[in-house]
Amino acid sequence: MAESPIQTGILSYGMSGRVFHAPFIEANEHFLLSAIVERSKNEAQLKYPHVTRYTSVDDLLADESIELVIVNTPNDTHVDFAKKALLAGKHVLIEKPFAPTVEEANELFELGAKVGKQVMAYHNRRFDSDFISLKKVLESGEIGEPIELHLRFDRYKMDVGPKVFKETKRPASGILYDLGSHLLDQTISLFGKPYSVTKIKSTHRPQSKVDDYACLILNYKKGLNVFITTSLLVADPQASFVLHATKGSFIKNRTDVQERQLLLDITPDNAIYGVEDAGSSGLLTIVHKPGENEQLPISSDKGNYMQVFEEVYEAIRNRKPYYVQPEQIITQLEILSDPKK
């Protein structure tokens, strides 16, 4: 007998709900988009007429038909809303950053275990086409043991943005939590917990109250050094992934098209969804012997954020271990969070 679809509620219909969640829930037969919180507008129902609109989180959580809640509210509310959802008997999928601190993340995992519900982190960028290319090169072993890896997330935004939760001093604000968490999750998924970490944060935009530049240097025992850089003041974005290894190198720009396509209303069930633009291949350089190098273009597989939701379904219905492991989230937050003063 076929399982019934997972009735799902989304706690906010801002960009995150509109772009990264609702289209995937709607397009996936394993889920039913049941309810969305919109406090003042009614945009979700115009797009999805079958969806129930709630004007408060508490009202949505009181809906006994909802099985899964997507917590995509401001960063500093993730923990409180996730706790409420768990206590209301819901599974939770929590946007990045999962929580401001290790202690709060552990509270959520412990509460989930206590009430018998899944507590899952939403890290979609493990399914970016460009990152998938990097992962395939590493796993192929063609260029030997990795020595140095640079991951970058560059933007240019001189003006302070309108999102108060990102631009004011509060838990989990600043660029390291916002964009750095993506790159840190990718790194941890590849190499695990680093041996040591150097963290640099600074503020450069006029009127900015949070870090708008961050760099992490992660050292691994096998001699690998990983450099993570993210900045809001890069006018000429650099390659997103630069890998050097004992037998060659790999360079790949940030070429994943999914976010851009979703903003253009290209849905995940469209044949062109996730397919990189022509000319976006990465460059693999293999050293066969000194002075004899071979350069190969490496095309990417399709990006596939839908895989996040397939993993959510498997975790809820079949109790399959979720792809973002709790210990990976704890490692991430040990690095992201600053020691208490």
Side-chain angles (χ1 to χ4, degrees):
M1 184 176 179
E3 293 275 8
S4 60
I6 298 170
Q7 295 205 42
T8 303
I10 302 175
L11 295 192
S12 171
Y13 196 64
M15 178 182 172
S16 169
R18 179 170 54 86
V19 173
F20 293 115
H21 297 292
F24 296 91
I25 296 298
E26 183 71 3
N28 192 316
E29 64 180 2
H30 295 313
F31 295 85
L32 178 64
L33 183 56
S34 301
I36 295 176
V37 175
E38 278 196 280
R39 296 182 186 279
S40 55
K41 299 179 180 180
N42 195 27
E43 294 177 353
Q45 272 195 323
L46 294 176
K47 180 75 174 178
Y48 307 105
H50 60 282
V51 170
T52 299
R53 174 200 173 198
Y54 289 109
T55 57
S56 76
V57 169
D58 287 344
D59 287 344
L60 185 146
L61 296 181
D63 185 337
E64 294 183 358
S65 69
I66 293 174
E67 191 174 352
L68 168 68
V69 167
I70 297 175
V71 181
N72 62 327
T73 50
N75 299 353
D76 57 337
T77 67
H78 287 180
V79 173
D80 286 345
F81 284 149
K83 284 181 180 177
K84 285 185 176 182
L86 289 167
L87 291 171
K90 321 295 187 187
H91 302 284
V92 291
L93 177 64
I94 305 172
E95 262 281 8
K96 62 82 193 168
F98 183 83
T101 66
V102 170
E103 292 75 17
E104 288 167 306
N106 277 324
E107 285 181 24
L108 291 179
F109 289 128
E110 290 168 5
L111 179 57
K114 182 178 179 180
V115 299
K117 298 298 176 182
Q118 294 286 342
V119 179
M120 298 163 286
Y122 177 81
H123 270 299
N124 59 324
R125 292 195 180 272
R126 292 197 194 186
F127 305 106
D128 278 354
S129 58
D130 38 41
F131 178 68
I132 293 170
S133 291
L134 171 69
K135 188 175 180 181
K136 286 178 69 174
V137 167
L138 281 165
E139 291 175 346
S140 75
E142 286 187 285
I143 59 174
E145 290 296 319
I147 298 170
E148 179 181 86
L149 173 62
H150 293 256
L151 303 90
R152 298 190 65 95
F153 213 132
D154 293 332
R155 290 179 174 171
Y156 189 87
K157 292 184 177 181
M158 177 62 77
D159 295 334
V160 172
K163 294 183 178 179
V164 175
F165 71 91
K166 287 188 177 184
E167 296 281 16
T168 57
K169 284 285 186 184
R170 57 178 63 196
S173 63
I175 197 170
L176 185 58
Y177 272 99
D178 185 30
L179 298 181
S181 60
H182 286 308
L183 304 181
L184 186 53
D185 176 71
Q186 289 174 337
T187 301
I188 292 168
S189 75
L190 291 173
F191 306 115
K193 185 172 184 174
Y195 176 71
S196 65
V197 178
T198 300
K199 178 164 60 176
I200 302 165
K201 296 194 296 182
S202 54
T203 302
H204 302 275
R205 297 170 302 158
Q207 312 304 318
S208 180
K209 297 178 182 179
V210 298
D211 56 285
D212 48 36
Y213 170 87
C215 178
L216 298 172
I217 304 172
L218 311 180
N219 309 112
Y220 287 86
K221 288 185 177 181
K222 292 183 178 180
L224 169 65
N225 292 308
V226 178
F227 299 82
I228 292 174
T229 306
T230 185
S231 174
L232 291 180
L233 291 177
V234 178
D236 181 18
Q238 302 299 295
S240 297
F241 303 103
V242 178
L243 170 66
H244 301 298
T246 54
K247 297 180 181 179
S249 299
F250 178 67
I251 298 175
K252 178 70 172 169
N253 291 324
R254 187 162 299 283
T255 51
D256 188 88
V257 297
Q258 293 178 90
E259 181 174 343
R260 171 160 55 89
Q261 289 179 329
L262 291 163
L263 287 167
L264 293 172
D265 258 352
I266 297 173
T267 55
D269 51 2
N270 190 310
I272 68 169
Y273 176 81
V275 178
E276 286 188 2
D277 297 332
S280 298
S281 298
L283 182 63
L284 178 65
T285 301
I286 301 175
V287 180
H288 294 291
K289 61 183 180 180
E292 186 179 314
N293 294 355
E294 180 184 13
Q295 290 194 318
L296 301 169
I298 302 296
S299 59
S300 298
D301 293 342
K302 291 175 66 170
N304 185 23
Y305 294 164
M306 185 63 85
Q307 187 60 36
V308 176
F309 297 91
E310 293 297 330
E311 297 282 346
V312 170
Y313 171 79
E314 290 293 336
I316 292 175
R317 286 287 184 256
N318 299 320
R319 307 297 293 182
K320 177 184 174 183
Y322 188 60
Y323 76 104
V324 183
Q325 300 157 17
E327 56 266 30
Q328 292 176 327
I329 290 297
I330 299 304
T331 294
Q332 181 186 129
L333 293 175
E334 287 173 344
I335 296 169
L336 289 177
S337 59
D338 293 321
K340 291 183 178 180
K341 297 180 180 179

